Amino acid sequence: MGQRPITFLRQVVALCTYPNLLDSPSFPEDAKKRAKRILQGCGGNSLGSYTSSQGINCIREDVASYIERRDGGVPADPDNIYLTTGASDGISAILKILISGWGKSRTGVMIHIPQYPLYSAAISELDAIQVNYYLDEENCWALNVDELRRALNEARAYCNPKVLCVINPGNPTGQVQSRKCIEDVIHFAWEEKLFLLADEVYQDNVYSEGCQFHSFKKILYEMGPEYYNNVELASFHSTSKGYMGECGYRGGYMEVINLHPEIKGQLVKLLSVRLCPPVSGQAAMDIVVNPPVPGEESYAQFIKEKESVLNNLAKKAKLTEDMFSKIPGIHCNPLQGAMYAFPRIFIPSKAIEEAKAHKMAPDMFYCMKLLEETGICVVPGSGFGQREGTYHFRMTILPPVEKLKILLEKIKDFHIKFLEKYA
């Protein structure tokens, strides 16, 4: 997509991978300092050694310091930090230890619709029960506690709902939940004794004015000891999104709080089965949580690159939102954060009939036609879940600005022709 990697992150990982470079004048001293610290935490000072199952200790300490800075001093314990193979690995591990029972006592996992398909796939793989609750499209995809309660009460007839998952900022919907909304969700989880999963991998990706990322951990702490000492919460972050975009390193972490000590022992045991997360990914995660600071020689270049990526994404979010708002038969909520647009599309009844004749979901039919006629590949909303009778697609806002303009123009022309053809 044309995004350049963050120089400092690649420098540190390169130094860790081939320590002979530590003698090279081509690398800045602050990168060398971080690489040496990471290598000292590795067996035999090598990235090629296994690490402890929870991850390298000094990196977990850096993650805890990062969380404390991010959350304005809310304490974080490195012992509650687990380095993971991307956020996905952590989410799957937590679900594994939470799922039990048979028949009506089988664990139910509440996920929002539309959802990121990792959740439905993991729930299906673990033979748990998926409990859907719908985000409020008319209210910018906000979370509604009345809807949570409806879903929970209906699910109790056929399973035992124990887990509530929230993605914030949202995928595929791109919304940023308000502080009030998060407080309401935490209160609901506390009241109903639900284990909260907060997928916060897009925490750096907030674009809309008036929107701000609030971590579930920070809000939980600020709600007081009754909540903070009782609500079980696992929060996730990753090297894959944000301004980094380093998906291939498979770096991530989770922070798990209020887990019973015996269950914590089982979690560590479960994680030890997969030995350890990729060590180069652990090193990459360290740079995300321990970047250059003012006064260090790499700071100016780092901050310039980081702001360039995030400002570009903000510009592309606005461009996409503005373009979709001009196309008849397409409605797109503001792209407040993350990396996607999830516009609602009007599909005429004639096109719906033709889709049925091809044994396809109407939005899949639409997306295949778009692909065939323009070469543009988007994902139908039915892949994420949507309210009955509504149709959407998800597209990323990642292409370079000029390419994105062309792409949006092509979608506009296609959509108008599609409406004319099936009117």
Side-chain angles (χ1 to χ4, degrees):
M1 292 290 142
Q3 183 178 315
R4 308 300 307 156
I6 299 294
T7 304
F8 188 77
L9 187 148
R10 290 292 181 94
Q11 284 173 330
V12 176
V13 176
L15 289 162
C16 289
T17 308
Y18 189 58
N20 290 12
L21 293 172
L22 288 164
D23 298 325
S24 165
S26 303
F27 288 79
E29 286 307 312
D30 47 359
K32 290 179 182 179
K33 183 180 159 191
R34 279 166 178 75
K36 284 173 186 169
R37 182 165 177 269
I38 292 166
L39 288 170
Q40 280 162 9
C42 297
N45 289 327
S46 171
L47 229 54
S49 307
Y50 286 128
T51 70
S52 74
S53 300
Q54 236 176 300
I56 297 170
N57 281 339
C58 67
I59 298 179
R60 284 165 42 224
E61 286 165 7
D62 287 345
V63 170
S65 300
Y66 162 80
I67 291 168
E68 287 184 0
R69 288 195 310 275
R70 181 198 69 190
D71 292 346
V74 175
D77 181 353
D79 199 41
N80 291 335
I81 309 291
Y82 304 80
L83 300 182
T84 56
T85 308
S88 310
D89 171 52
I91 292 162
S92 299
I94 288 289
L95 286 174
K96 259 182 203 169
I97 64 159
L98 293 175
I99 289 166
S100 62
W102 300 103
K104 285 189 176 181
S105 70
R106 190 67 177 159
T107 300
V109 181
M110 300 181 71
I111 61 171
H112 56 61
I113 300 296
Q115 56 104 20
Y116 176 48
L118 160 73
Y119 289 91
S120 52
I123 291 164
S124 173
E125 184 186 351
L126 297 167
D127 203 24
I129 308 298
Q130 179 175 320
V131 177
N132 294 341
Y133 66 91
Y134 289 92
L135 297 176
D136 184 358
E137 185 172 8
E138 307 310 315
N139 190 18
C140 217
W141 300 110
L143 251 163
N144 183 309
V145 171
D146 290 339
E147 170 60 14
L148 285 175
R149 190 159 278 114
R150 175 207 63 77
L152 181 78
N153 291 338
E154 285 180 13
R156 281 185 169 145
Y158 55 85
C159 69
N160 177 18
K162 288 199 294 198
V163 188
L164 171 57
C165 304
V166 181
I167 307 175
N168 180 51
N171 175 10
T173 44
Q175 84 288 1
V176 178
Q177 299 295 356
S178 69
R179 182 193 177 93
K180 169 79 169 69
C181 180
I182 294 169
E183 285 175 353
D184 290 347
V185 171
I186 290 170
H187 177 74
F188 176 77
W190 170 79
E191 204 174 38
E192 302 292 349
K193 295 184 170 49
L194 299 172
F195 194 114
L196 262 177
L197 264 59
D199 182 338
E200 298 175 333
V201 298
Y202 297 101
Q203 58 191 259
D204 287 305
N205 303 104
V206 177
Y207 316 123
S208 289
E209 275 184 39
C211 285
Q212 189 185 341
F213 169 74
H214 301 281
S215 79
F216 269 76
K217 163 99 179 286
K218 180 175 190 274
I219 305 294
L220 178 62
Y221 188 82
E222 290 171 353
M223 286 173 74
E226 196 171 357
Y227 293 93
Y228 186 66
N229 294 327
N230 291 297
V231 175
E232 295 163 303
L233 169 69
S235 311
F236 305 91
H237 195 18
S238 156
T239 61
S240 302
K241 315 297 185 213
Y243 57 89
M244 305 79 65
E246 296 285 12
C247 324
Y249 277 119
R250 307 310 300 130
Y253 75 75
M254 61 181 174
E255 181 187 26
V256 189
I257 60 170
N258 293 327
L259 206 56
H260 187 282
E262 284 182 34
I263 306 298
K264 195 171 182 177
Q266 293 298 323
L267 175 60
V268 173
K269 204 183 289 185
L270 176 69
L271 293 173
S272 70
V273 173
R274 55 93 160 114
L275 303 176
C276 70
V279 190
S280 53
Q282 294 186 46
M285 193 72 240
D286 188 64
I287 303 315
V288 176
V289 297
N290 184 22
V293 294
E296 290 188 307
E297 63 180 298
S298 299
Y299 178 75
Q301 183 181 8
F302 167 78
I303 208 72
K304 184 183 172 192
E305 290 175 354
K306 175 183 174 179
E307 286 178 355
S308 167
V309 171
L310 293 175
N311 291 341
N312 246 325
L313 284 167
K315 191 189 293 181
K316 292 186 283 193
K318 191 80 182 82
L319 174 72
T320 305
E321 185 188 318
D322 289 348
M323 176 61 93
F324 281 143
S325 68
K326 292 173 188 164
I327 305 175
I330 292 186
H331 171 262
C332 190
N333 273 320
L335 276 63
Q336 297 173 335
M339 298 177 170
Y340 314 101
F342 195 68
R344 183 168 170 174
I345 49 175
F346 170 71
I347 298 181
S349 52
K350 208 164 144 189
I352 293 170
E353 283 163 25
E354 194 168 322
K356 280 178 186 165
H358 287 87
K359 295 186 169 60
M360 291 166 93
D363 51 4
M364 181 64 175
F365 175 74
Y366 178 96
C367 292
M368 287 304 291
K369 288 281 183 201
L370 176 69
L371 178 63
E372 287 162 7
E373 292 179 30
T374 67
I376 296 167
C377 182
V378 297
V379 186
S382 47
F384 302 94
Q386 55 199 348
R387 280 198 183 273
E388 192 70 34
T390 68
Y391 306 106
H392 304 78
F393 63 79
R394 188 191 82 164
M395 62 167 273
T396 76
I397 57 167
L398 294 174
V401 172
E402 291 312 310
K403 198 174 274 189
L404 185 62
K405 283 179 183 171
I406 296 165
L407 185 146
L408 291 167
E409 280 293 341
K410 284 188 169 187
I411 291 175
K412 177 185 169 186
D413 294 345
F414 165 82
H415 186 76
I416 290 165
K417 283 178 192 162
F418 185 88
L419 292 184
E420 283 169 359
K421 181 177 179 181
Y422 292 102

